[in-house]
Each structure stands twice: as structure tokens, then as C-alpha cells.
Amino acid sequence: MSEGTRWRRSAARSERNQRAAGTPDPILGMQNNTTRGFLWSDVETRTLLTIWGEQDIQVALDGHFRNSFVYRDVARRLAATGFERTPEQCRVRIKSLKRQFLLAKEGNIRNNGQYHKICKFYDAMENILSNRPVLDPQEFMDSGTGGDDTADCLEEEGEDPHDPYSENMGDFHRPAETEVKLEYPTVPIPIPIKVTVGNNGSSVRPHPSSQPTSTLTSSPLAPGPLTSGRAKRPKKRRANFPLEKLMEQFLEQSAQAEEGFYRVEEQRLQAEDRRREAEHARELQTLQMLGQMFSSISSAQPPSAASSHRNEPPAPPRAFPRGSASPSGPRGPPTHLRRTPPHPTADWPQQQSQQLPSDPQALGMDEETLSLVRTIVPALTSKKHKGQDGRIGIIGGCQEYTGAPYFAAISALKVGADLSHVFCTREAAIVIKSYSPELIVHPVLDSPNALEEIDKWLPRLHSLVVGPGLGRDEGLLRTAKEVIEKCKARDIPIIIDADGLWLVAQQPSVIQGYQKAILTPNFMEFTRLYEALHQEPLDGSDRRRSVLQLSGALGNVTVLLKGEQDLISDGRRVLTCGLRGSGRRCGGQGDLLSGSLGALAHWAFSATPPSRSVSPALLAAFGACALTKQCNSQAFQTHGRATTTSDMIQEIGPAFRKLFES
């Protein structure tokens, strides 16, 4: 009888004696709560390994299939040290430690001795298992195989399917593999056995190995002729499919397919955008050609026909009801000058009345002033260097307002300036920079040494726009005031808009008498400035007179009052920009005007020879007003009520060519 068998019998005998004597077994009491304390501390785990590594325990475990009594004794010895655990918990913990050890040992071979650091008890397990037979790692990587067991029998190498803590119980955590268990039912098939009689009269049965390997095993429920005594149940066969690898491949293929779909969709959208832009350009070109053709036809009418028409008596005027259209069409320009809108809408007559005729004088514009604006536009030649046509600075841009400085800076570039610098706060810099890579963004406006940082760039700038998105923070307004003083000392043209006008209303002396300053208020901002300087309410009935008075009160500073008809005054005269835009007003149009005015102001003050009849500031302001209204009109023809400032910026190039280069 082996030592392990004797040990098992002695353990069973002591258990029966305890039951007969009525002595309560603490281990049996703990089995009622198998999930109690499933987390093991390091001290408790090392104590368990010490007990499990004892010689008698290892001898009892080797070569035995049933080991419930062994783990009962391990649990009793562990309880004697002060740690109460059930035999099942001890078995599961030992199995988890074996799995960790084998994984760490396998990784130790692959990764040059670094992987064993993950297993805390690697050395202890190495000392215990080094004296045992070599273990198969796949035995612990799989779910485990084993035969049937009774309620009192625990398998050391098997795995309880009802144990919720049999996976990932140790400190070494790894993703649990999903396993597919395949059970093959056994079908009882009678196998005929031939019994032969030998020479000595004894019956001889054929050896089981001589039977065909393709025959199925007999049913385990009823012993067949080849089995005697207790029938053995077949082991459960389990197949371990690498579902994690399959899932990873599936996810990778899904991600690649999704990425390819988005790539194709992006290409399709880009092609659609290019198609729409080309179609829009063709429509504009066709409309311009039609307008020029009709204009040439009307101007080339024979004088005889005109004299014959003059000799005819004039036809009496026909009266039409108020609000109704005449038979020839809606009121407005002559029929041959009207353009068919690309997208007809319900308010088509109103849109037609706002189209731009070929002759600027028909809209109340001063043709002489418009021709003077054309003279300040620099020619495009290959002899110029970068920055010669304008380096514009924008003071503005805070956390709340990031669009206004972008609109002003990009408008200056679209008009023809070479470089645009935006001096903004740190929070707004990243946002503004993300709008366009063409802008040079300086996140210095809210820094302690903001004035020194901006002053380094002032000698390189040709004009400065103060106010778009500046906000009304006292620190930012104070920095803006100091920058304006620096620009005045360097004789740099200054355009003040938006929150910069709030600063001027609070402290008019900051801009008082500076002839290269241009203010661009709307009606509300104009009212605030007028009342701050005159200390009396504004009389809105005569705006021309009010604009003239405000400019004179500021020391003949140029003031541009934005409205349905823009009024521009330098304290001596008033210009009116009668170009009609549209009924659509949206945020950012004033920023487009101030940015384009920054470029035009540089061209006007640096033009040679300067105009003697109109000041450079008036010319620049008049050109910016005409350009903004023309952009608004062209964008409205395409987008209607959906027109935004971004749509107007896209029209700067065509509108500039139509006004100043045609």
C-alpha cells in the first residue's frame, strides 16, 4: 500500500470519528458559504503555499484522481494558522496559482526573464513544482478535462463548471478565453466478441487494441462485455477555438471597411463641391456675358430710331393698382438689364429689384469716386515681394468671440493683402488658427507683457484693425488702448470697429485728431459715440448732418456709418455709398468690411500721387462699403435667406473684379 493511500485512509478515518463523536467540523461549516472571502491576501496565499508544498500533501496529490480529503486537510491546517477557507477555495486558489506560474514561466522563456515579475509567487511555486513531474501548460490554459466526480470529490486538475471564481483568481490578470465545449453523445453499439478455445481449454478474449479504432465506445450507463465492475464515464471533450483572434480579425476588417467607406464618401463630397463651384462659376460668367451683351445692344441703338422715337408723342402713363406688377414685369431696371435668378423663390420680384445694373450711377454711386478707388488698387506684377501689398494686423479674439477676428483677417487676404496677423488671447488662438492655415496667430493679448510682444510686430505692419472679437475685459481694453498709442506714434492707419468703438466712447481722446483713423460704427454704436461726445440725444432724422458733426467733434476723424446707405465723412464732406446689397443681415458682415478696409487703407495712404479731391481715408472707406454690399448682393442671389458671412467671403474675388478691375 502506497503512502498516499494510507494517508487518505487515515484522513477519512479521522473524519468519521469526528462525525461519530459529534465534534463540529469548522471546515464543513464553511462549505455552506463557498464564495466567502474569495480575495486572498499575500500573507494568506504564502501560508497556503507553505501547507500545500509539504511533502505529505504532495505525495497524496501525485497519482490520485480524487483529492477532496487532501484539500480538506489543507483547509484544516490553514484554519489552524488563523485563516478560514473552504477546501474548494483552497483548490481554486492553488489552480489559479499554477496557471499564473505556467504563464509566467512560458513568458520568461520568450522575454528573457522579465515576464516572471508579474507573478508574485513565482519563486515559491518554482520551489514546490520543481520536484514534481513536468506539467503540461495546455492543461491549465484550457478549461480543464477530467472525469465525473461526486459531490464530495474535488478534482485538482479539473474545473467545476458551477464555480464562478475559477477564472482569473490570482494577481496575474489576463483576458479570459472564450471556450466552446463540444459534447459528443455516446451511442451503444453491440460489439460481437469471438471467444476461442485454446489448447489448454481456456477461453481467450481478443485484446482491446485489436478492435477497429473506428468503432464507437459503448454506453457508460450499462456495462458491456468488455467492462466489469463500475462503468467509467467518458471524459468530456472540449475544443478550444481562438475566438479572441477571430474577434480581433473581425474588428480589424470592420474598421478597415468603415475607413474605406468614409474615404470614398469624402471623395464623393469633394467632387460634389467642385461640381457645384464650377456650375456656380459658369452661371456667373453667363450672367456677366448676357449683361454685357444687352448693354452693348442698348448702347448701339441707331440715332435715327432714337430720333423717330423722340418725334412720337409720349404715351400717357398707365395707372396700376398699388402693389401689383405691370404687364411687362415687376418695377425696377429695364427688362434688358434684368437677370434671371439661378434659384427662383417666392420673393423673386424683390430680389430682382435689388440686382446690380451695369451702370453704377443708376444706383446713386459716385462714378468719379469709384474711379478714384480703382487708382489706388496696386497692380499685380512679378517684381513684387511678399508683404509689399499689405501686412494687416487684427487686435481681437477672446474665448467668447473667435469668428470676428477670423472674418476680418481672411477678408484682408481675399481683397489682396499678403499677410494677416491676429493678436488674440491664448484660449482663442487654437480655435482661430484651426479656421485657416493662412493666418498668423499670436496668442499674446492676455499675457502680462502683451504690449511688448505686439510692439515687436508693429514696424512690420501696414495697417491695424482694432476691435473684432475683442470683448470688454478691462485688461484687454487697456492693452488695446496702449497699442493704439504705439500705432499713432508710428503713423500706422487704424480701423476701429466693434468693441474698439466701445473703448473710444469711454475715452474719446485715444483717437482724437488722428487723421489716419477710420471708425466703422453701426447705428447703435454711432448713437453711443454721438451722445458721449455731444452730451445730448441723437436726432436720427438727419443722419448726414449727424455724421458730419461727429467727425468734426473727433477732430476730422473719418467716420463710416453703416446702414442701408453707408454715409462716410471726414468732417468736411459726406460721401454716400448707394450700392444696394440685400435684405439679409447676419453677424460678421461688419468684420468683412473692417478687414477689407484695412487693406484698402494701406493702399490709399501709400498711393502715389495721392488724390487731391478726396482724402485717402474716404477713398478706402468708400471702396470697402461698395465691396461689402456687392458681396452681400451676389451671395444673396445664390443662397437667399441662408446667406452667411462665409458665403459673402467666397464672393470677395468676383465682386472685387467686377467693381475695381472691369
Side-chain angles (χ1 to χ4, degrees):
M1 184 181 299
S2 63
E3 182 179 356
T5 304
R6 288 195 300 270
W7 187 90
R8 290 167 59 87
R9 290 184 177 181
S10 63
R13 190 182 302 109
S14 62
E15 182 178 356
R16 287 195 300 271
N17 293 336
Q18 289 181 358
R19 291 179 181 176
T23 304
D25 191 350
I27 304 301
L28 294 176
M30 287 189 294
Q31 287 181 351
N32 296 329
N33 186 10
T34 59
T35 62
R36 174 180 176 273
F38 61 91
L39 297 178
W40 291 69
S41 63
D42 292 348
V43 177
E44 191 174 4
T45 302
R46 294 189 183 278
T47 305
L48 175 64
L49 290 176
T50 302
I51 298 173
W52 182 69
E54 294 179 359
Q55 184 66 24
D56 56 343
I57 297 294
Q58 293 296 316
V59 171
L61 289 174
D62 288 340
H64 294 280
F65 183 72
R66 298 181 179 179
N67 43 49
S68 60
F69 293 101
V70 178
Y71 282 103
R72 287 180 185 276
D73 189 61
V74 171
R76 289 192 186 95
R77 297 185 188 184
L78 187 64
T81 61
F83 302 105
E84 294 185 358
R85 293 286 179 174
T86 64
E88 174 67 10
Q89 292 174 343
C90 295
R91 183 192 69 83
V92 171
R93 182 57 173 166
I94 290 297
K95 181 178 179 180
S96 176
L97 292 173
K98 284 184 180 181
R99 185 184 297 110
Q100 297 176 32
F101 170 75
L102 292 176
L103 292 174
K105 190 172 184 179
E106 182 180 358
N108 187 19
I109 298 175
R110 296 179 180 177
N111 300 316
N112 299 325
Q114 299 298 324
Y115 196 79
H116 76 279
K117 296 181 180 180
I118 302 177
C119 182
K120 291 184 178 181
F121 310 100
Y122 183 89
D123 297 333
M125 294 294 295
E126 176 70 19
N127 294 333
I128 296 172
L129 297 179
S130 61
N131 298 324
R132 297 191 62 184
V134 180
L135 300 177
D136 184 11
Q138 187 64 25
E139 182 180 3
F140 299 98
M141 295 293 294
D142 298 339
S143 298
T145 59
D148 181 40
D149 202 355
T150 61
D152 295 334
C153 180
L154 301 176
E155 301 175 2
E156 178 187 4
E157 307 301 335
E159 185 172 341
D160 189 359
H162 302 289
D163 184 11
Y165 308 104
S166 62
E167 293 291 340
N168 300 327
M169 292 295 296
D171 299 303
F172 178 79
H173 298 282
R174 58 185 292 269
E177 295 183 353
T178 305
E179 300 174 353
V180 180
K181 181 171 69 176
L182 303 178
E183 297 186 1
Y184 300 91
T186 57
V187 180
I189 299 176
I191 302 175
I193 301 176
K194 296 180 180 180
V195 180
T196 60
V197 180
N199 296 328
N200 56 358
S202 60
S203 62
V204 179
R205 295 179 182 269
H207 195 271
S209 61
S210 64
Q211 298 178 2
T213 57
S214 61
T215 58
L216 300 177
T217 59
S218 60
S219 174
L221 301 179
L226 296 180
T227 60
S228 61
R230 182 177 178 181
K232 294 184 179 180
R233 295 183 181 179
K235 296 182 179 181
K236 299 178 182 179
R237 300 178 60 185
R238 302 183 182 181
N240 182 17
F241 293 100
L243 293 183
E244 288 186 353
K245 296 182 179 179
L246 294 177
M247 184 60 68
E248 290 178 359
Q249 294 178 359
F250 173 73
L251 293 177
E252 290 179 0
Q253 294 176 359
S254 300
Q256 293 176 358
E258 186 177 2
E259 183 179 358
F261 170 76
Y262 286 134
R263 189 184 307 110
V264 173
E265 185 68 15
E266 184 178 1
Q267 294 176 358
R268 186 187 67 81
L269 293 176
Q270 291 177 356
E272 185 69 17
D273 292 340
R274 290 193 296 269
R275 185 191 64 79
R276 283 198 297 265
E277 291 177 358
E279 183 179 356
H280 180 59
R282 287 195 300 269
E283 291 178 355
L284 290 178
Q285 185 178 5
T286 303
L287 293 175
Q288 292 177 359
M289 292 175 61
L290 289 175
Q292 294 176 2
M293 182 176 62
F294 290 145
S295 177
S296 61
I297 292 174
S298 61
S299 61
Q301 186 177 7
S304 58
S307 60
S308 62
H309 285 297
R310 285 195 295 268
N311 294 331
E312 295 179 359
R318 299 178 60 184
F320 296 97
R322 184 187 182 100
S324 63
S326 64
S328 61
R331 296 182 181 180
T335 306
H336 66 277
L337 293 181
R338 294 176 186 156
R339 297 180 183 176
T340 302
H343 303 287
T345 57
D347 54 350
W348 177 77
Q350 180 181 359
Q351 293 185 22
Q352 286 295 95
S353 64
Q354 294 177 357
Q355 302 304 314
L356 176 66
S358 300
D359 188 6
Q361 293 186 4
L363 295 173
M365 294 176 58
D366 190 349
E367 176 62 27
E368 181 182 358
T369 307
L370 191 60
S371 62
L372 290 175
V373 175
R374 295 192 185 103
T375 61
I376 68 173
V377 177
L380 297 177
T381 63
S382 59
K383 298 180 180 180
K384 291 185 178 180
H385 57 79
K386 180 178 65 176
Q388 190 171 349
D389 281 343
R391 295 185 292 269
I392 313 303
I394 311 295
I395 303 294
C398 58
Q399 185 176 4
E400 293 82 5
Y401 308 109
T402 58
Y406 162 74
F407 287 143
I410 201 67
S411 298
L413 288 178
K414 293 281 187 177
V415 167
D418 293 337
L419 298 172
S420 283
H421 296 258
V422 179
F423 301 90
C424 60
T425 62
R426 186 175 300 275
E427 293 83 359
I430 299 178
V431 181
I432 297 174
K433 187 65 176 178
S434 65
Y435 290 153
S436 174
E438 287 88 0
L439 306 183
I440 305 173
V441 182
H442 307 270
V444 299
L445 194 56
D446 56 347
S447 61
N449 57 340
L451 182 61
E452 290 77 5
E453 294 291 336
I454 299 175
D455 187 47
K456 294 188 301 184
W457 291 91
L458 290 181
R460 309 181 187 181
L461 301 180
H462 293 132
S463 65
L464 191 71
V465 181
V466 180
L470 179 63
R472 298 182 180 179
D473 180 76
E474 294 183 359
L476 299 182
L477 292 176
R478 182 168 55 255
T479 302
K481 176 185 176 182
E482 295 172 349
V483 172
I484 291 174
E485 296 293 344
K486 293 286 185 179
C487 289
K488 289 166 59 178
R490 296 181 180 274
D491 200 33
I492 298 175
I494 304 174
I495 291 86
I496 300 182
D497 186 31
D499 294 319
L501 297 172
W502 171 269
L503 173 63
V504 175
Q506 304 299 319
Q507 305 178 37
S509 60
V510 71
I511 208 69
Q512 186 84 26
Y514 187 58
Q515 299 298 311
K516 289 190 176 182
I518 305 174
L519 309 184
T520 60
N522 56 27
F523 184 73
M524 295 298 297
E525 295 165 340
F526 180 84
T527 303
R528 187 185 303 115
L529 285 171
Y530 186 90
E531 294 178 354
L533 288 171
H534 293 84
Q535 303 297 325
E536 62 180 12
L538 172 65
D539 182 11
S541 60
D542 190 358
R543 295 191 178 183
R544 294 178 61 90
R545 177 174 173 272
S546 301
V547 172
L548 195 65
Q549 290 178 351
L550 179 60
S551 177
L554 288 172
N556 294 335
V557 172
T558 302
V559 177
L560 191 164
L561 174 58
K562 297 177 288 189
E564 183 179 5
Q565 289 187 343
D566 296 335
L567 301 177
I568 313 164
S569 176
D570 60 354
R572 291 178 289 270
R573 59 182 298 182
V574 178
L575 293 181
T576 302
C577 181
L579 181 65
R580 301 189 64 178
S582 70
R584 172 61 172 159
R585 290 290 298 163
C586 57
Q589 297 185 30
D591 304 312
L592 188 154
L593 185 144
S594 61
S596 59
L597 181 54
L600 290 170
H602 162 59
W603 296 345
F605 283 105
S606 60
T608 54
S611 175
R612 297 181 180 179
S613 58
V614 184
S615 66
L618 285 178
L619 285 179
F622 187 88
C625 292
L627 179 63
T628 303
K629 289 183 175 294
Q630 180 66 19
C631 292
N632 183 273
S633 176
Q634 293 182 185
F636 187 80
Q637 293 178 31
T638 304
H639 303 282
R641 288 185 178 273
T643 302
T644 61
T645 304
S646 299
D647 302 324
M648 294 174 56
I649 290 176
Q650 299 302 321
E651 300 292 338
I652 290 179
F656 191 91
R657 289 193 299 269
K658 184 175 184 63
L659 291 175
F660 308 122
E661 294 179 348
S662 61

